[in-house]
Amino acid sequence: MKRTILVATALVVTAGGAGVAVSASADTGPAGAAKGIAWGKCEVSGPDDPMNQAQCAQVEVPLDHSRPGGRKISIAVSRFKHTDEKNYQGALFVNPGGPGGSGLAYSPALARWIGGTGHADVAAKYDIIGFDPRGVGSSKPALTCDPNFSDPIRPDYNPASWKEEKAWIAKSKKYAQDCAKKFGWMLPHMRTTDAARDVDAIRAALGQQKISWYGFSYGTYFGATYATLFPNRVNRMVLDGNVNPKTVWYDAQLEQDKAFERNMKAWWAWIAKYDSVYHLGTSAKAVEAKYYAVRTAAKKASIGGKIGPDELDDIVLSAGYNTGFYIPFAQALSAWANDKDPSGLLDWLSPGGDDNGFAVYNAVQAADAKWPRNWSTWHRDAVKLYKQGYRFVTWGNVWYNAPVAFWPFKGGPEFKLKGAKGLPGMLLVQSTQDGATPVAGGLEMHKVFPSSRLVFEVGGKTHANTLNGNVCLDDKVAAYLDTGALPASHRGPDAYCKAVPELNDPDPTAMTAKAARAAAGKDLPVGRP
């Protein structure tokens, strides 16, 4: 799933490229609708105000919703208020994915993105609600088990021996033990259903009878869970980059391994097409071989003293997420491979020192569903896929999820999504070559929710790609959020939009790296899924 690599507060990038940290104010409002939420200013640390004067607060919720009088935690919430009083349509919640993604800064961001598509009037009709789900960012407490777990330089993801594999197993097991020691009281309450009930508590505190939802990636499963639990409290839902309900969660990583391999090969083929620019090889195979040669060398001598094979994989994997990274990462890889200039790659290196997103990612998926507890299953599946040619992300995905194999309890039972009779129409959007949430997810989610309509972005390789410049997609989203208008129902996908060539396969001879990054639209994560 899409994952954000952020500090313990929401971190956004301003137009000038400067990082700005955002956190919720300390004001805490109870979960009851009668008393509402005590809104205050958002605490911003940086040279600009990306929150655009949005309001922030903490909303208290039960740790265990079956025991409302028991221990409490709080959820950091932001609100970007509507300006169209006459056509007010209520609250629109937004979730960026993960699990573990901070959404606090997404209330003004979503308004900005919708406005950027030419539909600012639609955004003006909603109070857009961003939030950090339980355990994330500015919510209290924020999970952290070992903040230095992912600091560079890490052991090679791809074990060359059983000794190397055992080292990662031990590292993963210790991480799980650290989580149990620090947050054992909270971990059983990190299911997506718990977070969905938090959302309903926020809805009540807002005094809203119904809510709308815009979910990216894991945010589709999150929203679908809310719709299953509270079908009568749903107004509209946009689900972009859909999780496959059949693969929650162990099988999801196996399907990702295949989809990302395809997308990385597409990037290598694209680089070969522009060999006159990058000088990395004239065929996809040649570029792939060059990449793995650079990777092997980085294991012996790190790039710029900070980038080993794992860090290199993590950086360029984002080209498998978003074609907006094609140009800047090809330039950075070329600069190192041909000129031994590490600066381009170092610019994208995650420095470590924070494991909040990683901790929540593992906690949610471990609680949501049963995972194999016998390491032989993980080893067998990884070896099989690797031998079949799915090399790029297979072992990295294993280690990103491996702490779950040693979690202090067995997760599940899996929550079954269900489209209740009378559930309003939902808009599902799916890029057909999405690497993080493969296309089958959109089809399966469509089956689960009969009232939904599914739009395919044909040939689209960017994950969760609405509001990124595809007018066909963005106009359909705007029409739905504005009036509830949906495509007519057809067998299979209900509507189709072609991927935009200049975005899906950018031309480096006509666009600078900076311009390519801006053309990608939303600030997306760099790193592991």
Side-chain angles (χ1 to χ4, degrees):
M1 303 310 103
K2 183 167 75 172
R3 168 175 86 82
T4 46
I5 298 182
L6 307 179
V7 293
T9 53
L11 181 67
V12 294
V13 178
T14 66
V20 181
V22 182
S23 59
S25 69
D27 293 335
T28 301
K35 295 184 179 180
I37 298 175
W39 293 105
K41 290 184 178 180
C42 300
E43 298 174 359
V44 179
S45 175
D48 202 352
D49 178 15
M51 297 302 286
N52 196 18
Q53 299 183 346
Q55 300 168 305
C56 287
Q58 295 279 343
V59 176
E60 190 176 81
V61 299
L63 170 68
D64 182 349
H65 283 273
S66 69
R67 300 177 63 238
R71 188 170 186 171
K72 302 296 193 296
I73 59 174
S74 71
I75 309 301
V77 182
S78 67
R79 177 176 67 174
F80 192 73
K81 294 187 70 175
H82 70 283
T83 55
D84 185 347
E85 294 286 350
K86 182 179 179 180
N87 300 296
Y88 178 58
Q89 299 210 33
L92 172 59
F93 282 65
V94 57
N95 180 264
S102 170
L104 201 64
Y106 277 67
S107 55
L110 187 64
R112 185 170 66 250
W113 297 336
I114 293 173
T117 69
H119 299 286
D121 59 312
V122 175
K125 297 176 182 179
Y126 288 93
D127 286 333
I128 304 180
I129 307 298
F131 66 104
D132 286 354
R134 57 172 54 200
V136 175
S138 292
S139 291
K140 301 175 182 179
L143 295 188
T144 175
C145 306
D146 175 3
N148 303 118
F149 180 82
S150 296
D151 289 3
I153 297 169
R154 300 184 297 279
D156 191 351
Y157 286 146
N158 300 339
S161 65
W162 176 237
K163 181 180 179 181
E164 289 189 4
E165 185 173 344
K166 284 197 298 183
W168 261 110
I169 292 171
K171 182 177 172 71
S172 302
K173 185 175 183 179
K174 184 179 184 303
Y175 189 82
Q177 292 171 339
D178 289 341
C179 290
K181 182 178 180 180
K182 295 181 180 180
F183 290 101
W185 59 273
M186 189 174 179
L187 297 181
H189 305 289
M190 288 296 294
R191 287 170 62 88
T192 301
T193 49
D194 294 310
R197 290 185 172 94
D198 293 342
V199 167
D200 201 55
I202 298 168
R203 173 204 60 78
L206 290 168
Q208 299 279 343
Q209 294 299 312
K210 295 184 177 184
I211 65 167
S212 295
W213 181 272
Y214 205 128
F216 300 96
S217 194
Y218 163 77
T220 64
Y221 182 75
F222 194 165
T225 298
Y226 184 89
T228 300
L229 288 171
F230 306 107
N232 295 327
R233 296 172 189 169
V234 173
N235 182 21
R236 293 170 189 153
M237 278 198 168
V238 179
L239 306 183
D240 180 13
N242 290 269
V243 167
N244 188 338
K246 285 188 173 182
T247 62
V248 175
W249 288 111
Y250 178 75
D251 288 343
Q253 63 161 333
L254 304 181
E255 293 306 308
Q256 277 188 342
D257 297 342
K258 300 173 185 177
F260 273 122
E261 187 73 25
R262 176 202 63 216
N263 282 16
M264 295 308 295
K265 287 183 182 298
W267 182 53
W268 289 323
W270 175 90
I271 291 174
K273 179 180 177 181
Y274 295 103
D275 183 62
S276 62
V277 177
Y278 301 117
H279 311 293
L280 292 170
T282 58
S283 69
K285 286 186 177 181
V287 175
E288 181 176 1
K290 173 65 75 172
Y291 177 79
Y292 282 111
V294 170
R295 188 188 190 282
T296 298
K299 187 172 182 177
K300 297 177 181 178
S302 61
I303 298 171
K306 296 181 179 179
I307 299 175
D310 297 359
E311 291 74 28
L312 181 63
D313 284 351
D314 283 359
I315 291 169
V316 303
L317 175 59
S318 288
Y321 272 105
N322 185 332
T323 56
F325 289 112
Y326 272 24
I327 293 174
F329 288 167
Q331 286 185 339
L333 183 62
S334 175
W336 173 249
N338 294 313
D339 303 317
K340 292 298 179 276
D341 176 4
S343 60
L345 292 172
L346 289 170
D347 284 345
W348 295 96
L349 175 66
S350 175
D354 172 44
D355 70 322
N356 178 243
F358 182 69
V360 175
Y361 176 91
N362 278 275
V364 172
Q365 298 205 95
D368 268 355
K370 292 181 178 179
W371 288 68
R373 305 290 286 194
N374 188 330
W375 188 255
S376 63
T377 299
W378 296 67
H379 175 86
R380 181 196 66 223
D381 289 341
V383 168
K384 179 181 178 181
L385 284 169
Y386 197 85
K387 286 183 177 178
Q388 289 174 342
Y390 302 108
R391 300 172 60 195
F392 186 82
V393 78
T394 291
W395 277 106
N397 241 351
V398 167
W399 304 124
Y400 199 76
N401 293 275
V404 179
F406 308 103
W407 219 241
F409 59 87
K410 295 181 180 180
E414 180 185 333
F415 181 71
K416 296 295 184 182
L417 300 181
K418 182 180 180 181
K421 200 170 184 180
L423 182 70
M426 301 157 65
L427 181 64
L428 314 183
V429 182
Q430 189 71 42
S431 298
T432 59
Q433 295 184 51
D434 191 321
T437 52
V439 66
L443 294 167
E444 289 298 328
M445 195 74 85
H446 190 29
K447 290 178 184 177
V448 171
F449 293 98
S451 67
S452 68
R453 297 293 182 269
L454 173 62
V455 179
F456 265 6
E457 184 190 32
V458 180
K461 298 190 288 287
T462 291
H463 175 48
N465 198 34
T466 56
L467 311 183
N468 261 6
N470 187 323
V471 175
C472 177
L473 289 181
D474 297 341
D475 284 354
K476 284 178 171 54
V477 169
Y480 171 67
L481 289 175
D482 191 20
T483 67
L486 287 167
S489 179
H490 295 92
R491 187 174 181 179
D494 302 294
Y496 299 86
C497 291
K498 293 181 180 179
V500 179
E502 56 266 33
L503 297 177
N504 205 46
D505 291 289
D507 182 352
T509 65
M511 189 181 297
T512 66
K514 183 177 181 180
R517 183 68 186 88
K522 301 192 295 292
D523 293 314
L524 290 180
V526 178
R528 305 241 16 99

